Amino acid sequence: MTRLLKGALLLIMSVVLLSACSANVEDAYKATDEKISDAFNSTPKKVNNKNKDVHFYAPFGFEIKEKKQNNVLLKNGSKTYILFYNQHEGTDSEVVYNATLSDKKFDYKKTYQKGDKFGYCLIRDLGEDMQELTVGIGGVKLTTETKTKSMKNDAEYMMQIVNSVKMEKDKPAES
């Protein structure tokens, strides 16, 4: 009888712990969505970095680690971010979004629309309190791996970067 009671108690505690963990992830998704939505709808930050084909804003602490064709690797502390761009796709394009969706299964998907801008957020649970976070606008996306508790702040910075991207053909005039 005591074995049955211990087993039932263990089962109940497991269910409670698992539901608490999933509630925390859902809360993190909601908070992340709010930060992304605010950054998506805000005025783009002023460009302060350039690559051959792309100009973009990088927040304080972000540095360019490597430049490749269609990619810029950014670093902030121990985190690496991959900025991918397709200069043939505009801000209203869904090509990169659809291609990204076809690559992997995501646990959270959200899209944003403002005028001629199509934005999105994709999150994939990696386990052990880690998430793969991808945000994008049109032909530009930025991806990193982040802890669940850091996801909303990373997402805000990431959308600020993506929102600021100007392709070489439509770069701001040099002063």
Side-chain angles (χ1 to χ4, degrees), residues 24-35:
N24 288 341
V25 170
E26 292 300 320
D27 290 345
Y29 290 168
K30 183 178 179 185
T32 299
D33 171 53
E34 289 172 7
K35 291 285 190 177

Side-chain angles (χ1 to χ4, degrees), residues 134-150:
T134 300
V135 300
I137 295 177
V140 178
K141 74 176 179 178
L142 187 58
T143 302
T144 194
E145 290 182 2
T146 184
K147 291 186 178 188
T148 305
K149 69 181 181 183
S150 305

Side-chain angles (χ1 to χ4, degrees), residues 20-85:
C21 290
S22 67
N24 288 341
V25 170
E26 292 300 320
D27 290 345
Y29 290 168
K30 183 178 179 185
T32 299
D33 171 53
E34 289 172 7
K35 291 285 190 177
I36 289 175
S37 181
D38 289 347
F40 176 78
N41 289 304
S42 69
T43 303
K45 300 278 187 178
K46 186 176 178 181
V47 168
N48 62 6
N49 279 281
K50 349 177 180 182
N51 190 20
K52 180 181 172 189
D53 299 317
V54 69
H55 301 247
F56 60 93
Y57 163 78
F60 178 78
F62 280 73
E63 59 186 48
I64 296 175
K65 182 179 176 183
E66 189 176 344
K67 298 176 183 180
K68 295 183 177 183
Q69 185 174 352
N70 296 87
N71 288 295
V72 177
L73 280 112
L74 300 171
K75 192 144 179 80
N76 183 15
S78 63
K79 285 189 184 167
T80 300
Y81 301 78
I82 301 169
L83 177 65
F84 169 83
Y85 57 92

